[in-house]
């Protein structure tokens, strides 16, 4: 395993444009459940109630949605970045990160210290709320305060439109700018590192393919096998946090002048 960590560190040192692609497995060590796992929130709510079209068309659906969203937000708000988030933030400080593309909505890369222009949130973020009519953005905590005070469905102060967490719901289209940027950066990078994603949700899952086709090296760090393992230059089946912490150690060693390993 140590040889693999060293190899990834060496590739990071030798690469000019590095894209990290993160999935749910990157945040589970921060105590954020993978919502698709058994025991997750979908065992208690019916996903069909949360399709975007229902949110738009029914006050009852909006009320249910906000109940569930409030339940999901509490642990997310308290969650702290783990070793993997911290290692990725450190990569940025070392000038070794083009961007991190994430499927997560927990805002933990920003909490860990990555700058906003380096983080592409493919599925939006739970840290903000936006008005579906005028797109005005609100801080999530401000809206949760209203819910705490008894508001069941919050509406926009400016235009009266329905407010919804700035996440992408079932049936809602992917954000155009973020998706395009994620594809562009994937195609331009020379090292693509997947962390904690099983690479089954589209369109995200096709990004490693785009990177690989354009000549990038592909590294996959995930607890379980993924459909792209065969194509990868290196696969580590392990936990995101400890793996990234070890790679970071070798990276720092390797970047020090007159040191090599
Ligand atoms: Zn509005």
């Amino acid at each position: 395993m140590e040889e693999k960590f060293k190899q990834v560190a060496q590739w990071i040192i030798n690469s000019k444009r590095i894209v990290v692609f993160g999935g749910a497995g990157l945040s589970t060590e921060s105590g954020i459940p993978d919502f698709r796992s058994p025991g997750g929130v979908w065992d208690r709510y019916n996903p069909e109630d949360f399709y975007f079209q229902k949110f738009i068309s029914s006050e009852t659906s909006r009320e249910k949605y906000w109940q569930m969203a409030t339940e999901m937000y509490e642990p997310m708000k308290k969650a702290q970045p783990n070793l993997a988030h911290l290692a990725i933030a450190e990569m940025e400080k070392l000038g070794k990160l083009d961007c991190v593309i994430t499927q997560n909505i927990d805002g933990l890369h920003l909490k860990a210290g990555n700058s906003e222009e380096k983080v592409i949130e493919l599925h939006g973020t739970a840290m903000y709320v936006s008005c579906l009519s005028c797109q005005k953005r609100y801080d999530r905590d401000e809206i949760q305060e209203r819910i705490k005070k008894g508001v069941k469905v919050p509406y926009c102060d400016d235009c009266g439109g329905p407010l919804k967490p700035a996440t992408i719901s079932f049936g809602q289209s992917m954000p155009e700018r973020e998706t395009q940027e994620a594809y562009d950066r994937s195609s331009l990078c020379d090292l693509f590192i997947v962390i904690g994603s099983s690479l089954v949700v589209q369109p995200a899952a096709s990004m490693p393919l785009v990177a690989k086709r354009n000549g990038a090296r592909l590294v996959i760090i995930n607890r379980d096998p993924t459909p792209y393992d065969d194509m990868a230059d290196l696969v580590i089946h392990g936990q995101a946090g400890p793996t990234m912490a070890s790679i970071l150690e070798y990276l720092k060693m390797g970047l020090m002048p007159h040191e090599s390993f």
Side-chain angles (χ1 to χ4, degrees), residues 42 45-66 68 132 153 155 162-164 169-173:
W42 298 123
Y45 293 94
N46 179 0
E48 286 193 5
D49 282 333
F50 301 97
Y51 274 78
F52 189 60
Q53 281 317 313
K54 285 207 173 172
F55 188 93
I56 297 284
S57 58
S58 134
E59 174 81 7
T60 318
S61 292
R62 286 194 280 276
E63 195 178 319
K64 270 193 205 165
Y65 183 98
W66 272 102
M68 177 212 60
L132 293 180
V153 181
Y155 287 93
L163 298 183
K164 185 182 161 295
S169 297
F170 297 114
Q172 193 173 8
S173 53

Side-chain angles (χ1 to χ4, degrees), residues 107-182:
L108 284 175
H109 289 294
L110 297 173
K111 259 193 207 171
N114 278 118
S115 46
E116 267 186 52
E117 66 269 19
K118 294 278 187 192
V119 182
I120 302 175
E121 293 170 316
L122 273 185
H123 296 173
T125 174
M127 300 299 119
Y128 290 95
V129 167
S130 51
C131 168
L132 293 180
S133 302
C134 75
Q135 271 71 52
K136 180 176 177 174
R137 249 156 93 102
Y138 296 80
D139 190 63
R140 180 70 184 263
D141 285 333
E142 185 194 331
I143 303 304
Q144 289 303 136
E145 275 308 309
R146 297 188 196 180
I147 305 261
K148 232 180 249 170
K149 286 182 185 140
V151 171
K152 295 223 173 351
V153 181
Y155 287 93
C156 180
D157 295 335
D158 284 5
C159 77
L163 298 183
K164 185 182 161 295
T167 54
I168 308 300
S169 297
F170 297 114
Q172 193 173 8
S173 53
M174 297 288 288
E176 245 169 75
R177 188 179 58 82
E178 283 83 355
T179 307
Q180 190 56 51
E181 200 176 340

